[in-house]
Amino acid sequence: MALSLAINLPPPLRDNLLRLQPLAPQFQFKFPIPSARIRCSSSFNHISLKMVRVTPNNNPLVCHFHTAQFGGVRRRMIRRLWCVQSQSASSSLFSSTSTTITNNTKKSIVLLGAPQVSTIVLDALLTASALPHSSFEVAAIVTQPAARRDRGKKLMLSPLANYALDRGFSSHLIFTPQRAGDDTFLSDLKALQPQLCITAAYGNILPTKFLDIPSAGTVNIHPSLLPIYRGAAPVQRALQDGVKQTGVSLAFTVRALDAGPIIATETIEVDDHIKAPDLLELLFHKGSKLLIAELPSIFDGSARVKAQPQDDSKATLAPKIGPDESWLFFDQEAPVLHNKVRAFSGWPGTRAKIQAVDKDGQKKTLEIKIITTRVCSHENEHFNEADDIAFVNGALVFPCGRGTSLEVLEVQLPGKNVVKAAAFWNGLRGQKLKKL
C-alpha cells in the first residue's frame, strides 16, 4: 500500500519535498491542503507512522512525528526526509532559512532480549506505542548474536531478532554484541540516547557503564516473585519445587543478580499440569501488561520513589539448568518426577532408561524422553514385579518411591516424533517393559 501524505507547506519546503518523489515512489505527496496536518496510512508490514503532524507557523515550522517500525530503505528515506537524526536547520533537504525541523518528543526505549518470550514484550511495546497519545517509541533492539541451532547447525538469528525484522525494524537498529560491555556497542547505544532500557530474558550481565546510559534506568521483567528465584531459570525451578503460586516482578536493574528495587508484581496460581514453556509465556504476558501500566511512573521518576528494596534474607536462587539434570530416577516419589517433567519441558527435557524384554527373554535397553505425565492413584497391585511397567487406560504406569505411581502419557524415542503412550505400547509387539 502506498503511503499518502497530504501537507500544506511553504513553497520552498514543498519544492524540496517533491524532489524526493523519484527516490520513494511508494510515497504520494499532495499539495496544497488547507489543514496543516499530515494524514498518513501505510501497510502494517512495511511502515507504521504513529503520529505525523506539521504545524507551519510564520517562523519557524515545527514538525513532530513518530515512527515505530519500518525497513532499512524506508527508514533511510524517512531520516533524510524529516531530518530525525539532525537538529540542523540547514539540512540540504529543507534549505529554507525561515524553516526549522525539530525532533519528535517521544521517549525512546531499547529492548533487550533473545528467546521467544521476548517477542511478547516487543509486541506489547509496539502496540502501546501505536496508540494516539503514546509517549514513547521502541528505538532499537539488543539481542544475542546469531548462533548455530537445530540439527542442520544453521546460523540463525535469535527469535527476538527475527520477530523485530518481521515487524519492520531495520537490521542496523538490531544490535547483537557478544557482551553488553563492548565499547563499540556502548558507543552506538549512547548515540541513541535512550530514556529507558528494558530487559526480557536477555541472558547477559549488564555492566555499570551500560546501566549508566539510559536516563530513566534499566528495568527487568523477571518471572518470579522476587526476591525468590533469582537467576537464570526461575520458572523451571519453581515448577520443579511444585509451587502452587508464582508471579512476575518488574524491577530496576542493578549490578547484583536480580536484586534491584521492585516497582510492581503480579501473582498467579499455578496449575498442577502446566509446563514451563506455557507458564513462562503466561508470565511474560502478565509482565508486559505490568510494564505498560508502569511506564508513565518510570518516565516521570515516581517509580524510583515507590520502588521497594528487596529483602535479601528471603532470597532464593534459580540456577541455570544443565543437561545432566534431565534424567529421571524412579526411586523418587511420583509427584517429584511429575514436577520435574513439567519444569524441564522444552529444554533439556526429561529422559529415562527402560528395558524391553521379548518372549525369549532377550533384553534391550531403550532411552526415551518422557514428555507428558500425571500422578495417578494406581496401587502397586498392577505390577507383577517391582520393576514392571504396566499399561493402564492409555498410559504407561511406572512404579515409584513410597508406593506412588507415575502415568506417562507421551514419549519420544531418539530421532522419532513424540507419540502417545498407546502408540508406543502397541509398537512393542508384546514385549514387556521394565524400569532400570
Side-chain angles (χ1 to χ4, degrees):
M1 179 184 296
L3 177 67
S4 298
L5 302 180
I7 316 174
N8 182 26
L9 296 174
L13 189 56
R14 179 192 347 170
D15 294 341
N16 281 312
L17 190 63
L18 285 171
R19 291 191 187 104
L20 290 173
Q21 184 72 57
L23 299 178
Q26 73 272 20
F27 285 79
Q28 299 171 3
F29 303 113
K30 303 175 182 179
F31 305 97
I33 301 295
S35 170
R37 289 180 177 272
I38 291 178
R39 298 195 294 271
C40 62
S41 61
S42 68
S43 167
F44 178 79
N45 290 326
H46 297 289
I47 300 177
S48 177
L49 296 182
K50 305 308 179 186
M51 180 184 73
V52 183
R53 184 177 63 203
V54 173
T55 307
N57 301 320
N58 290 331
N59 186 21
L61 172 73
V62 181
C63 173
H64 300 283
F65 80 101
H66 169 58
T67 57
Q69 55 204 34
F70 32 80
V73 174
R74 294 177 176 87
R75 179 180 288 276
R76 289 191 292 273
M77 166 60 192
I78 293 172
R79 278 184 172 177
R80 293 180 63 191
L81 179 60
W82 298 115
C83 306
V84 179
Q85 301 302 314
S86 174
Q87 298 281 349
S88 173
S90 61
S91 167
S92 61
L93 293 177
F94 305 104
S95 55
S96 171
T97 57
S98 63
T99 299
T100 303
I101 306 294
T102 63
N103 284 342
N104 70 81
T105 58
K106 292 210 169 188
K107 297 176 175 64
S108 62
I109 289 176
V110 173
L111 175 66
L112 296 85
Q116 190 65 36
V117 290
S118 303
T119 69
I120 297 171
V121 183
L122 178 56
D123 181 73
L125 287 170
L126 292 178
T127 300
S129 70
L131 297 175
H133 302 293
S134 169
S135 63
F136 70 90
E137 65 178 350
V138 182
I141 301 296
V142 181
T143 188
Q144 300 290 352
R148 299 194 182 278
R149 298 181 176 89
D150 299 334
R151 294 178 186 174
K153 297 299 181 182
K154 294 181 180 179
L155 196 63
M156 300 175 65
L157 298 173
S158 73
L160 181 62
N162 277 321
Y163 185 77
L165 289 171
D166 289 343
R167 292 295 297 263
F169 267 89
S170 176
S171 59
H172 74 274
L173 289 176
I174 300 175
F175 300 103
T176 58
Q178 291 288 344
R179 297 179 300 107
D182 290 347
D183 290 337
T184 301
F185 163 65
L186 290 176
S187 177
D188 291 338
L189 184 65
K190 286 180 182 177
L192 289 174
Q193 297 182 329
Q195 273 79 24
L196 176 66
C197 288
I198 298 166
T199 57
Y202 176 48
N204 274 4
I205 296 174
L206 301 179
T208 301
K209 55 186 177 180
F210 175 99
L211 297 175
D212 289 341
I213 293 175
S215 56
T218 298
V219 170
N220 181 39
I221 299 175
H222 188 77
S224 82
L225 296 174
L226 291 171
I228 61 174
Y229 296 114
R230 293 176 178 174
V235 169
Q236 293 90 332
R237 297 304 184 186
L239 287 180
Q240 189 177 8
D241 290 345
V243 299
K244 301 299 182 183
Q245 193 178 73
T246 187
V248 62
S249 301
L250 194 65
F252 284 108
T253 301
V254 296
R255 284 290 293 147
L257 179 66
D258 297 326
I262 298 171
I263 302 167
T265 62
E266 183 167 346
T267 302
I268 66 167
E269 301 300 317
V270 179
D271 181 87
D272 288 339
H273 298 287
I274 194 170
K275 296 178 181 179
D278 297 324
L279 181 56
L280 193 64
E281 182 176 328
L282 174 61
L283 289 174
F284 270 94
H285 276 294
K286 298 286 187 183
S288 297
K289 292 180 180 178
L290 204 61
L291 171 67
I292 299 302
E294 293 294 338
L295 278 178
S297 69
I298 295 171
F299 285 130
D300 68 22
S302 60
R304 285 279 186 190
V305 177
K306 74 174 183 178
Q308 296 296 310
Q310 296 185 39
D311 184 349
D312 292 340
S313 67
K314 296 180 180 179
T316 61
L317 295 179
K320 183 178 180 180
I321 295 170
D324 291 343
E325 295 183 69
S326 64
W327 291 103
L328 296 181
F329 301 100
F330 294 99
D331 55 344
Q332 294 181 305
E333 295 180 44
V336 173
L337 297 173
H338 173 62
N339 289 335
K340 188 171 184 178
V341 172
R342 294 192 299 142
F344 289 14
S345 175
W347 194 90
T350 43
R351 299 176 289 167
K353 288 184 178 180
I354 59 176
Q355 201 170 63
V357 183
D358 65 18
K359 295 179 181 179
D360 298 326
Q362 296 294 317
K363 299 177 181 179
K364 181 181 179 181
T365 299
L366 302 176
E367 181 181 314
I368 61 172
K369 288 189 75 171
I370 294 181
I371 308 299
T372 305
T373 60
R374 67 184 173 212
V375 179
C376 67
S377 58
H378 297 303
E379 300 295 335
N380 285 350
E381 63 188 32
H382 287 284
F383 311 108
N384 295 325
E385 298 180 17
D387 58 353
D388 278 354
I389 300 170
F391 181 72
V392 181
N393 296 329
L396 299 172
V397 183
F398 285 70
C400 302
R402 295 183 177 271
T404 60
S405 299
L406 182 71
E407 288 188 345
V408 175
L409 307 177
E410 292 180 311
V411 298
Q412 183 179 21
L413 287 167
K416 303 294 184 181
N417 294 327
V418 175
V419 296
K420 300 290 186 182
F424 177 77
W425 183 263
N426 292 335
L428 294 172
R429 300 183 183 278
Q431 296 181 88
K432 294 181 180 181
L433 290 181
K434 292 182 177 291
K435 66 177 187 178
L436 291 178

